[in-house]
Amino acid sequence: MKKLLKVAFAFVLALGLTTTTVKAEETYINVTSYTETFKPVGEDAELTTTVVATAGSDGYIYLIKNYKEIEVKSVTGENVVAELEEYTQGAVTYLRAKVVDPTAEATLTAVITCKGFYAENLVADTNGTQTNSIAYAFNNYFSSEIKKYNLTIFTPEGNEVIKVSAPKKYADFKLGEEDGLLSVGLSGKVKLNGKSEINYTYGPATTGVAKLAVWAVCLAVGALVFIDRFKKAK
């Protein structure tokens, strides 16, 4: 009887070990690139987000919902079901789409209206004039580093960029123009739990004469500095 119990116990133990061995390891989404572009539509923004990623064990790829009041306008992509569903994990809310073939890379593009993104937010500039400010931060809540992240924010028509506060280094952001709209953008990696942000002020574009005056002052100051350094060098 004891011998029979030992055999039975050994069989159950072996079965348990076998079950543990064949259990699939859980994997998570691997993001290759993530791009966000904000364009003004009145006080709202049209946000176009594109993510290129490989799905994890659950078979989904995700967009991070970084803005509360939104309206999804369209969903397209490759190797995905073109439907978004909201998914919350802890304090973070995502928009996700099912991948058709989880073993292959998928691309998901969503066009979303962000309510009140460009609503008037006046701040006092250093010279006392009133300018509008825009501040947006992307937080990487994925389980790994984002290898390539791109963010572009366009300024409402008839306005120009006054001052960029973030990123702080000039080399870390880029100024652009498309269809008459000026923009501030950045690109690079975003570490796990890292953040990438743009913060700047903008205001009505100055006239051509005013611009020439500003450039003239800048060139004059530059010339004086150059002459002073040249004299000291001699």
Side-chain angles (χ1 to χ4, degrees), residues 41-204:
V41 181
E43 289 193 346
D44 301 335
E46 181 184 84
L47 166 62
T48 302
T49 304
T50 299
V51 60
V52 179
T54 304
S57 302
D58 63 358
Y60 286 88
I61 60 174
Y62 293 75
L63 305 178
I64 297 174
K65 185 183 175 186
N66 273 331
Y67 207 79
K68 290 182 179 181
E69 294 187 52
I70 66 167
E71 179 184 347
V72 179
K73 306 297 288 185
S74 66
V75 182
T76 56
E78 296 179 8
N79 190 30
V80 293
V81 178
E83 294 179 1
L84 286 180
E85 63 178 61
E86 196 166 293
Y87 173 79
T88 301
Q89 185 176 41
V92 183
T93 301
Y94 302 88
L95 299 172
R96 68 181 186 178
K98 193 72 174 177
V99 174
V100 177
D101 178 7
T103 63
E105 193 170 67
T107 301
L108 173 65
T109 298
V111 178
I112 299 169
T113 298
C114 298
K115 304 290 186 179
F117 186 85
Y118 288 97
E120 191 175 74
N121 184 24
L122 295 176
V123 294
D125 207 352
T126 52
N127 59 5
T129 59
Q130 294 288 306
T131 58
N132 273 291
S133 68
I134 286 181
Y136 176 76
F138 171 83
N139 296 282
N140 180 14
Y141 294 120
F142 292 117
S143 57
S144 60
E145 176 184 79
I146 296 176
K147 300 176 181 65
K148 186 177 181 181
Y149 175 73
N150 300 289
L151 171 62
T152 303
I153 301 178
F154 284 87
T155 302
E157 187 176 5
N159 289 275
E160 63 183 2
V161 177
I162 304 297
K163 179 182 179 182
V164 178
S165 300
K168 292 183 178 181
K169 295 181 180 179
Y170 182 78
D172 292 339
F173 66 87
K174 54 187 177 182
L175 301 176
E177 183 177 359
E178 183 180 302
D179 298 329
L181 300 181
L182 301 178
S183 65
V184 179
L186 58 80
S187 60
K189 296 180 180 180
V190 184
K191 296 179 180 179
L192 173 64
N193 296 322
K195 181 171 71 173
S196 188
E197 64 180 322
I198 285 178
N199 190 333
Y200 73 96
T201 57
Y202 67 91

